[in-house]
Structures are given as structure tokens and as C-alpha cells.
Amino acid sequence: MTDDATTVRDATEADLEAMAAIYDEQVRTSVATFDTEPRGLVYLGDKLAHAGGSDIVLVAVRAGEVLGYAFSGPFRPRPAYDGTKEVSVYLGAGARGLGLGSLLYGALLARLDDLTEVHTQVAVIALPNDASIALHRRHGFTEVGVLREVGRKFDRWVDTAWYQRRVG
Ligand SMILES: CC(C)(COP(=O)(O)OP(=O)(O)OC[C@H]1O[C@@H](n2cnc3c(N)ncnc32)[C@H](O)[C@@H]1OP(=O)(O)O)[C@@H](O)C(=O)NCCC(=O)NCCS
């Protein structure tokens, strides 16, 4: 999928360093992730290594620069959860608010919708995150509930909102 200047495609090893830099900036500055120490290449490298089938890792690239990524992966490690995918999306600081999150999610969810084995998607949004909530609502997710004070980062308790999207 492309807009005028941006391509969305499957991520490769060559994208990993840029993807990790995007994630680690959020680790250091935001409650969007509950990681508290930069993960380097390990966390996303593992996702890439296990990509295939309904575990999808996409990047948005413009002029050779990785601007963001989105992925689907296992929700919980029990076979009865296999039709449920957890999804997420991260953009670099300069790439937000321009529709790229929507472009990536549109591509990811379209891919998942083509897979008969995928029944539902779950997203966990640490609060506050108005952009992420708007993005998920735009793409058909509805709020299931909020877990209060389940994370602690930057010396404060953080809630998580759980969102779900069901095929059909
Ligand atoms: C969350 C994120 C992926 C959204 O992507 P984005 O490209 O910035 O969002 P888009 O420009 O595609 O906009 C999507 C929707 O969010 C809204 N939005 C964007 N930025 C917003 C903001 N700062 N506050 C409120 N709404 C916002 C847009 O108006 C749009 O709403 P609409 O579809 O109803 O018109 C991006 O901001 C990001 O990477 N943030 C840091 C990492 C993160 O929080 N990831 C999500 C973890 S759950």
C-alpha cells in the first residue's frame, strides 16, 4: 500500500535498527510502552524472526527512511487464543499526526482480514494517549475496559485501556 510518497511493506532485517530507535525513544520518553530500559535490537528482532502467517511486521518508508512500524503477534501463549492477535503501531517523533499511523494500521488490518484463522484483534493503550485512541476507533476498535494503575513508570501509576476489533 502507498500514498504519494510513502510505501508500506513487510519489514526486513535491514529496517531493524531504525525500528528499534523509534521504539526506544518511546521507552525513554513515554508511558506508551511499559518497557523502562531501551531494548535495542532484541525485542523487535524477535518479532521479525517469528514473523509469518498472521504474525505480521510492517514498516512505513519514505525516501529510504523508516518512519514507523506496525505489527500483529500472539495475544496469549495458549492455543485457544490463536485466533486473537495483539496489534500495535509506533511512529518516529517527526512522523506523527500526518496520517501515517492510519496508513500502517489500514494495511495491517487488511492483511489480517484476509486470513480466515484471525477472528479478533486486541490493542492495549496506556493512558493518556488521545492519538492512539482516535486511531483505534477510526479502525473499528471499541473499548472493552480500563485496568486501573497496572503500570508504574516515571514515578506514577498508569492505566491501560483495552480495545478490541472483531472481523465482520
Ligand atoms: C499513536 C500513533 C501511532 C498515531 O498515529 P498518527 O499517524 O500520529 O495518527 P494519524 O495521523 O493517522 O491520526 C489518526 C487519528 O488520530 C487523531 N490524532 C492524531 N494525533 C492526535 C493527537 N495528538 N491528539 C488527538 N488525536 C490525534 C487524528 O485526528 C486521527 O483521527 P481521525 O481518524 O478520527 O481523524 C502515533 O501518534 C505514535 O506513534 N505515537 C507514539 C507511539 C504510540 O503511542 N503508539 C501506540 C501505542 S498503543
Side-chain angles (χ1 to χ4, degrees):
M1 173 182 284
T2 58
D3 65 13
D4 284 350
T6 309
T7 300
V8 173
R9 58 161 171 76
D10 287 280
T12 70
E13 288 284 325
D15 303 315
L16 193 51
E17 201 167 323
M19 293 164 63
I22 289 168
Y23 183 68
D24 282 343
E25 183 267 341
Q26 286 291 280
V27 172
R28 285 191 299 271
T29 64
S30 166
V31 298
T33 166
F34 281 1
D35 265 320
T36 56
E37 299 292 334
R39 297 289 296 271
L41 305 185
V42 175
Y43 163 64
L44 289 165
D46 188 59
K47 283 203 184 301
L48 261 188
H50 291 96
S54 57
D55 294 340
I56 297 168
V57 187
L58 299 179
V59 283
V61 181
R62 186 185 296 153
E65 185 188 356
V66 174
L67 302 175
Y69 63 87
F71 62 82
S72 59
F75 172 59
R76 301 283 300 267
R78 299 280 184 275
Y81 282 121
D82 283 353
T84 301
K85 307 309 293 185
E86 184 163 351
V87 294
S88 192
V89 51
Y90 282 77
L91 304 179
R96 295 173 200 149
L98 306 170
L100 280 175
S102 231
L103 187 70
L104 271 164
Y105 245 24
L108 178 69
L109 296 171
R111 288 267 294 268
L112 293 174
D113 286 352
D114 280 344
L115 300 172
T116 50
E117 69 270 28
V118 177
H119 182 63
T120 183
Q121 295 99 38
V122 172
V124 183
I125 304 175
L127 300 177
N129 193 337
D130 290 347
S132 186
I133 286 172
L135 176 71
H136 283 86
R137 288 200 170 132
R138 158 74 60 185
H139 287 275
F141 287 77
T142 53
E143 186 183 299
V144 180
V146 174
L147 294 178
R148 302 286 175 195
E149 301 186 357
V150 286
R152 189 163 177 85
K153 192 168 178 182
F154 306 139
D155 290 326
R156 65 182 178 83
W157 292 107
V158 182
D159 300 342
T160 57
W162 287 66
Y163 278 74
Q164 181 176 18
R165 173 181 181 269
R166 273 181 289 176
V167 175

